[in-house]
C-alpha cells in the first residue's frame, strides 16, 4: 500500500502547483517556474544521487563504465523511470523514481496549468483519460512495474490536485466574500 503515499504526494503537488493559477493574479512565466523548480529540487537531489553513485562505483556495482555512465545520465536527466537499467536495476536509491516523474510533470505543468485554467473540464477529462488509457495498455504486461510508474499513469492524480485546488479557491473566495 506504499503507492497511496506516492499518489497522495503527487496529488498534493498538483494542488500546490495549480493553486496560484486559481487567483486573479497572473502566474509566473514558464521560464521562472522552471528556474524555481530546479533551484528547489536539484541541490538535494544531487546531494543524494552523486554520493550513492560514487559508492556504487567504488563497490563495483556496475559491470563497466558505460553502464555506470548510462545510469548516472538517466538519473541526472530525471529519465530513470524510462529505462529498466536505471529504474529496476540501479544501485542508486530506488525511491528517486518519484522525482523523475515529478520533474517530467514540471516540464508539462505550465501548459497543463494554462489549459486547466481555460478549460478545466476538458483538461481534466483528457489528463484522466490518458492516465486510464496508459494503465489499461500496460496492465496485462508480464512485468508492468516499469510502465505503471511513468508520468502518463499519474496524470489523473495531478488533474485531481488541480481540481481540488480549484474547489478550494472557489470556497475560500466565497467565504472571504461572505466575511468568514
Amino acid at each position: 500500500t506504499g503507492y497511496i503515499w506516492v499518489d497522495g504526494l503527487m496529488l498534493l503537488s498538483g494542488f500546490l502547483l495549480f493553486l496560484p493559477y486559481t487567483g486573479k493574479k497572473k502566474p509566473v512565466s514558464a521560464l521562472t517556474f522552471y528556474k524555481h523548480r530546479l533551484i528547489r529540487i536539484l541541490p538535494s537531489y544531487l546531494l543524494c544521487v552523486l554520493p550513492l553513485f560514487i559508492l556504487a562505483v567504488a563497490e563495483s556495482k556496475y559491470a563497466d563504465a558505460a553502464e555506470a555512465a548510462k545510469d548516472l545520465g538517466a538519473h541526472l536527466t530525471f529519465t530513470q523511470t524510462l529505462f529498466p537499467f536505471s529504474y529496476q536495476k540501479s544501485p542508486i536509491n530506488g525511491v528517486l523514481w518519484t522525482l523523475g516523474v515529478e520533474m517530467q510533470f514540471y516540464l508539462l505543468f505550465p501548459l497543463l496549468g494554462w489549459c486547466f485554467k481555460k478549460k478545466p473540464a476538458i483538461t481534466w477529462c483528457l489528463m484522466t483519460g490518458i492516465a486510464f488509457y496508459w494503465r489499461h495498455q500496460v496492465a496485462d504486461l508480464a512485468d508492468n512495474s516499469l510502465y505503471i510508474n511513468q508520468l502518463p499513469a499519474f496524470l489523473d492524480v495531478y488533474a485531481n490536485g488541480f481540481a481540488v485546488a480549484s474547489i478550494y479557491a472557489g470556497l475560500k473566495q466565497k467565504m472571504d466574500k461572505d466575511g468568514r
Side-chain angles (χ1 to χ4, degrees), residues 66-77:
E67 183 181 295
K70 278 181 16 182
D71 191 29
L72 181 61
H75 279 81
L76 293 180
T77 58

Side-chain angles (χ1 to χ4, degrees), residues 95-163:
V95 298
L96 293 176
W97 70 267
T98 59
L99 282 174
V101 170
E102 194 76 11
M103 290 297 277
Q104 293 164 29
F105 175 70
Y106 292 162
L107 286 175
L108 298 175
F109 176 75
L111 175 63
L112 292 174
W114 180 82
C115 290
F116 199 93
K117 185 167 177 76
K118 298 293 181 192
K119 303 278 187 187
I122 292 171
T123 306
W124 183 88
C125 286
L126 285 172
M127 290 173 71
T128 301
I130 290 168
F132 274 71
Y133 178 77
W134 181 266
R135 287 193 298 264
H136 174 74
Q137 290 301 111
V138 303
D140 293 332
L141 296 176
D143 181 11
N144 67 6
S145 64
L146 174 70
Y147 304 102
I148 207 71
N149 287 330
Q150 290 182 0
L151 177 61
F154 292 98
L155 285 175
D156 57 339
V157 177
Y158 288 115
N160 287 333
F162 290 6

Side-chain angles (χ1 to χ4, degrees), residues 159-180:
N160 287 333
F162 290 6
V164 172
S166 297
I167 293 166
Y168 169 80
L171 290 173
K172 184 177 182 330
Q173 187 178 36
K174 183 172 175 13
M175 290 177 74
D176 289 349
K177 184 179 172 188
D178 293 345
R180 291 187 262 162

